[in-house]
Amino acid sequence: MVTDPILFGADYSVYTRIARLALAEKGVAHRFEPVDIFDPAAVPDSYRGLHPFDRIPAFRHGGLDLFETAAITRYVDEAFPGPALQPAAVDARARMAQIVGLLDAYAYRTLVWDVFVERVRRPVRGETPDEAAIAAALPKAERCCRVLEGFLGAGDWLAGGGGPTLADLHAAPMFACFRAAPEGAAMLGRYPALAGWFRRMAGRPSMRATRSPMIGPDDPGEGAEGPCR
Ligand SMILES: N[C@@H](CCC(=O)N[C@@H](CS)C(=O)NCC(=O)O)C(=O)O
């Protein structure tokens, strides 16, 4: 008998949140096993075996162990009943994969670490933001916004179609962080399609259910703090 899947991760983590969004959107019963990857002494040896690169999240279902969020969300979509999170049309599915790839390659570090962590999290810890890192990140962030704004066009979802796909679930936690920084909120304001998309995503029950304990009430945009350190 295959038991409910287990997701290993942390409620503050952007990538864990992406996987949790997929589970929530599909309505998949699962167990959440907290792993604080930023506290090495607290990471159980058993977890090190699950993720050879010392990151979160990781996922277990029956005999299958997975790491890499894009693989986890795709498996969740394909292995469980519920609304499809990947477009049926081959061109839209390719666009979705392209967006997930560009978010991993070009958006995550820029939006989350170089802007959000520097501007929002460092001061919370009593540290000084690296202004040069923020300044260098903003043109890269702008390029991400411009590209995604173009993909949205007049539609509601990043890969087109009538509902969110894995691309939207991958992007939303990153933008939740980004817009918690004043520079991120201001930039999003200059991209009306992207801002509207974020409001749509932030209003979904899955986003509300996966919010970090550090995040204040939605406006619908996640408050002043975000889910990654
Ligand atoms: N490529 C990985 C990235 C996961 C990732 O970077 N997770 C962050 C938390 S949001 C992490 O584990 N960071 C730990 C570290 O950088 O040491 C995936 O897609 O799952």
Side-chain angles (χ1 to χ4, degrees), residues 53-163:
F53 297 95
D54 296 330
R55 299 288 174 99
I56 48 176
F59 178 85
R60 169 168 288 163
H61 186 218
L64 177 69
D65 289 344
L66 279 178
F67 59 90
E68 288 306 289
T69 304
I72 295 168
T73 57
R74 185 170 156 191
Y75 176 80
V76 167
D77 186 41
E78 295 177 1
F80 297 95
L85 298 176
Q86 299 175 86
V90 70
D91 52 351
R93 212 158 59 245
R95 177 71 76 214
M96 182 202 75
Q98 182 186 40
I99 293 168
V100 169
L102 80 82
L103 290 165
D104 285 342
Y106 314 122
Y108 170 65
R109 188 137 290 273
T110 296
L111 303 186
V112 176
W113 283 94
D114 295 344
V115 177
F116 169 72
V117 172
E118 290 299 334
R119 176 62 75 222
V120 179
R121 295 303 302 165
R122 271 196 190 279
V124 169
R125 292 189 226 126
E127 297 165 7
T128 305
D130 182 341
E131 296 295 341
I134 296 171
L138 289 177
K140 299 180 192 170
E142 186 101 42
R143 192 187 303 205
C144 294
C145 290
R146 198 165 52 240
V147 168
L148 296 178
E149 179 89 357
F151 287 152
L152 277 164
D156 284 351
W157 307 106
L158 291 172

